Amino acid sequence: MDKKFNFQELQAIVATLRGENGCPWDKSQTHESLKLYTLEEAYEVNQAVSNLTKTGDCTNLKEELGDLLFQVLLQSQVAEDNGEFSIEDVIDGIARKMIHRHPHVFAGRHYDSVEQQQADWEKLKAQEEGHKQNSLKEDIDLIPESFPALIRGEKVAKKAAAAGVLSTNDEDVFKDLLTSVINLQLGTAGEDPEKKFSSDEELSEKLGDTLFALCRFCAKYKVSGEMALLKKLEEF
């Protein structure tokens, strides 16, 4: 087929799939049932980027971005069928958000540094409709539980540091990490029986301390633990 379809035609295809004479599978989908597929497609996009970096072939990335876009359109069509919102509302919302959060691009604002621009980004987020000054717990509760643990841990650590609950001092960050590793060593391979872990639950708890200390390290130095680990796994 020589024809190239455009966005509106793809939107019409999705609506047809969900329509009266459409596909039974597509018609049966809900926001909840599509969660797993959306997550899978996002991971496949990431894998396609890795493949592109290795091979220089963008074919797979183009295909996977299409699959992810289909999920956005399908979720939006479910919402429209439910009388919630439309894909036009989604597009309008993200366009307004990007314009609002980039005044240095669209409104002539000047920043002296990237750090200043990022600080203003956070302020602009707080000003947006529906946003209010939240407690730390409320801020953390807004972080999706479906995030991979490392990603969620880094975001929690970042918010806790911004609220002053966690120190961002280099010495404190390293001390927390080193102390947690030493506790793991003493509880598993150490010679002092009083410091040995008494159960798998205690070992799991102390390992959690170490992993969160790593998340705190990643948040402090603005490195993605998730991507660092994925890269190491690929190398291994």
Side-chain angles (χ1 to χ4, degrees):
M1 183 182 294
D2 294 331
K3 171 183 172 60
K4 268 200 170 183
F5 291 92
N6 59 38
F7 184 83
Q8 287 73 27
E9 288 169 325
L10 176 58
Q11 183 183 356
I13 289 170
V14 175
T16 300
L17 289 171
R18 290 270 303 171
E20 182 178 354
N21 298 315
C23 170
W25 185 89
D26 291 281
K27 291 165 65 175
S28 70
Q29 297 310 303
T30 66
H31 291 308
E32 193 68 29
S33 69
L34 289 170
K35 284 167 57 177
L36 177 61
Y37 300 107
T38 305
L39 186 61
E40 288 177 349
E41 296 301 349
Y43 277 118
E44 289 181 6
V45 166
N46 279 350
Q47 184 59 54
V49 171
S50 296
N51 295 343
L52 171 61
T53 301
K54 292 176 182 177
T55 67
D57 186 354
C58 65
T59 304
N60 182 229
L61 177 58
K62 177 179 67 175
E63 178 183 352
E64 296 302 343
L65 285 171
D67 290 344
L68 184 58
L69 176 60
F70 178 78
Q71 289 300 315
V72 173
L73 284 165
L74 188 54
Q75 283 274 14
S76 298
Q77 188 62 49
V78 170
E80 185 167 346
D81 294 342
N82 292 344
E84 297 164 343
F85 57 81
S86 68
I87 186 62
E88 287 80 9
D89 296 322
V90 174
I91 294 170
D92 179 71
I94 189 60
R96 291 176 184 275
K97 181 187 292 186
M98 290 301 102
I99 290 172
H100 181 245
R101 294 188 187 179
H102 294 84
H104 52 302
V105 177
F106 299 104
R109 185 174 298 181
H110 173 74
Y111 296 115
D112 294 325
S113 65
V114 173
E115 290 74 20
Q116 189 182 68
Q117 185 264 319
Q118 290 177 337
D120 200 37
W121 171 284
E122 295 299 332
K123 292 178 183 177
L124 291 168
K125 281 176 62 178
Q127 294 170 4
E128 290 168 5
E129 184 178 357
H131 285 263
K132 60 183 180 67
Q133 189 66 38
N134 295 321
S135 67
L136 176 59
K137 182 181 184 305
E138 289 171 328
D139 269 344
I140 289 175
D141 286 344
L142 290 173
I143 302 172
E145 294 181 0
S146 58
F147 275 178
L150 278 175
I151 294 176
R152 189 160 188 260
E154 289 163 28
K155 291 184 176 295
V156 168
K158 180 180 177 181
K159 288 186 178 295
V165 174
L166 289 178
S167 169
T168 58
N169 180 274
D170 291 325
E171 184 178 347
D172 292 335
V173 171
F174 277 99
K175 181 180 178 181
D176 185 32
L177 180 56
L178 291 172
T179 299
S180 65
V181 171
I182 290 171
N183 287 337
L184 273 181
Q185 181 188 26
L186 294 175
T188 54
E191 298 180 357
D192 188 343
E194 293 186 0
K195 294 182 179 179
K196 291 281 188 179
F197 297 141
S198 59
S199 64
D200 290 343
E201 287 76 13
E202 187 178 3
L203 170 58
S204 179
E205 179 183 350
K206 296 302 182 183
L207 179 58
D209 291 342
T210 302
L211 291 171
F212 186 64
L214 279 170
C215 289
R216 184 181 175 188
F217 175 91
C218 292
K220 160 70 178 176
Y221 294 102
K222 299 178 182 179
V223 59
S224 168
E226 186 78 13
M227 299 309 296
L229 179 56
L230 287 172
K231 182 178 180 181
K232 177 53 63 176
L233 290 172
E234 288 182 8
E235 292 175 356
F236 183 80

